[in-house]
Amino acid sequence: MSEGVEASTSRGWPRWVAGATAVWSLGYGGLAVSWALGGRTYPYGANDPGAEHASLLSSVPTGIAAPVLACVILLGGVLALWRPRGWPFVAFGWTVTVGLLLLIDLRLFNVLGYLVTAPFLVVAALFAEKADLGLFTAWPVWNQVVVLVGAILWAGTTLVSQRATRGGCGSCGRRPGLASAAWTTPPVARRWGTWAVVVAVLAPLPYAVVRYVWALGVPWGISPEFHAAGWPWLWVLGAGLATAAVGGAVLTLGLIRPWGEVFPRWVPRLRGRPVPPGLPLWSGGLVAVILTMANVSLAHRSITTGEPMDVLFQLWVLWGLGLGGATLAYYYRTRGRCRRCDRGA
């Protein structure tokens, strides 16, 4: 099982990720040039009224943000074509990756949550005269999907360059003649990964409980007037997000349980088969990133508006970081011998 994890998640991608990063960067950079020249599709600032101070670019003038985006991303595209090594490029690459992630706000997490809980969304649509479902068609939100793809590509390219700079394998990072760091060995990763799972499972539960209470018609912690104004469509959607949170907490347990590596008996047609390693790694990693950036977005809105951030949302920091740590531990725990360099755990 563990050898299959390494082979199927890393084989070949170091060879094409830099090229894909260059294509994305030159394309998005060209789009940013059009924004700098006055293009109407600029998805930030004044052109994004739905941001409501959640976006970090909500108050940055277009005349500043667009040219900076264009210059940095186009430069990155040219550099990625050369596939450079060395710490200067590594520092540049991680800076671009983090910068792109900071362009993601709370709305992308909301879209993810609503898509996961489609039945609740259908029920809420029955009250469409109140519900704002334009979230799914807004270009600024879809732009965040494009940006997330770019951040993933830049992270991959930078990681390969960093590993090459350190003399390690581009696929697994291991270096000849050197043992893996103790914290990345399977026994140690299992220990700290278990704690990360506990945090990721417990952190969303208070949010889910409160949302379910509101959906049952109890205005716990909010004014009766506010509860009545959103009844029932807002709280139906909230119950959907709560269900997604609880479901995610249950699935997170799979990162330390046997059914996270082999499908259990209660899964029709898949029982007994190995879980594709990319499934927990990609799903856990993406949700962790989107969740963490949603919390950064909420914190930014709290700072710019002066309104205190809800305690339930503050727990999302622990949720995102815990899930990210649990996913990383799963990778270290289940990876085996690298098929590219043939080095073991």
Side-chain angles (χ1 to χ4, degrees):
M1 166 63 189
S2 58
E3 182 175 345
V5 169
E6 181 88 1
S8 58
T9 57
S10 64
R11 186 195 307 174
W13 68 269
R15 292 193 293 268
W16 57 258
V17 68
T21 302
V23 170
W24 182 92
S25 298
L26 295 176
Y28 198 79
L31 189 58
V33 169
S34 72
W35 297 335
L37 296 176
R40 297 183 178 180
T41 59
Y42 182 69
Y44 306 105
N47 285 17
D48 184 16
E52 298 178 349
H53 302 285
S55 171
L56 270 65
L57 291 182
S58 58
S59 58
V60 179
T62 305
I64 296 177
V68 171
L69 278 174
C71 292
V72 173
I73 295 178
L74 285 177
L75 174 61
V78 173
L79 293 177
L81 284 174
W82 291 346
R83 302 186 181 186
R85 300 181 182 181
W87 293 114
F89 177 77
V90 171
F92 175 83
W94 285 125
T95 300
V96 173
T97 301
V98 173
L100 290 173
L101 289 176
L102 289 174
L103 298 180
I104 297 172
D105 61 48
L106 175 66
R107 289 169 295 175
L108 189 58
F109 176 73
N110 287 339
V111 168
L112 178 64
Y114 293 150
L115 289 178
V116 171
T117 57
F120 291 87
L121 189 63
V122 172
V123 174
L126 298 176
F127 307 92
E129 71 278 1
K130 288 187 176 181
D132 181 13
L133 303 180
L135 187 67
F136 296 93
T137 59
W139 158 238
V141 177
W142 283 103
N143 170 70
Q144 293 184 35
V145 177
V146 177
V147 168
L148 178 60
V149 171
I152 293 171
L153 291 173
W154 265 105
T157 296
T158 306
L159 185 61
V160 171
S161 180
Q162 177 175 309
R163 287 171 171 174
T165 300
R166 298 175 67 245
C169 171
S171 291
C172 69
R174 298 182 180 101
R175 290 181 287 175
L178 296 176
S180 300
W183 67 277
T184 67
T185 58
V188 179
R190 176 180 289 277
R191 287 199 294 271
W192 60 263
T194 299
W195 284 108
V197 167
V198 170
V199 171
V201 169
L202 294 180
L205 296 185
Y207 169 84
V209 170
V210 172
R211 287 292 191 173
Y212 281 135
V213 169
W214 291 346
L216 292 173
V218 180
W220 183 28
I222 57 176
S223 67
E225 294 77 15
F226 181 74
H227 184 270
W231 180 267
W233 70 269
L234 182 61
W235 312 127
V236 169
L237 289 178
L241 292 176
T243 301
V246 173
V250 173
L251 291 176
T252 301
L253 291 172
L255 296 176
I256 55 172
R257 301 298 300 166
W259 53 268
E261 299 180 48
V262 179
F263 283 109
R265 291 177 297 176
W266 44 266
V267 179
R269 305 187 66 178
L270 294 176
R271 64 189 66 178
R273 296 184 182 182
V275 174
L279 182 60
L281 292 177
W282 275 103
S283 58
L286 285 175
V287 173
V289 168
I290 294 174
L291 185 56
T292 301
M293 300 321 300
N295 200 84
V296 172
S297 171
L298 285 168
H300 176 262
R301 184 167 66 183
S302 176
I303 293 172
T304 54
T305 63
E307 298 178 359
M309 192 167 140
D310 194 299
V311 176
L312 295 177
F313 292 143
Q314 292 178 21
L315 292 175
W316 286 11
V317 176
L318 298 177
W319 188 7
L321 295 178
L323 180 57
T327 304
L328 183 63
Y330 177 89
Y331 166 71
Y332 283 131
R333 182 173 61 81
T334 58
R335 71 173 181 166
R337 186 170 298 277
C338 177
R339 289 194 176 184
R340 187 178 184 187
C341 69
D342 200 37
R343 298 185 186 107

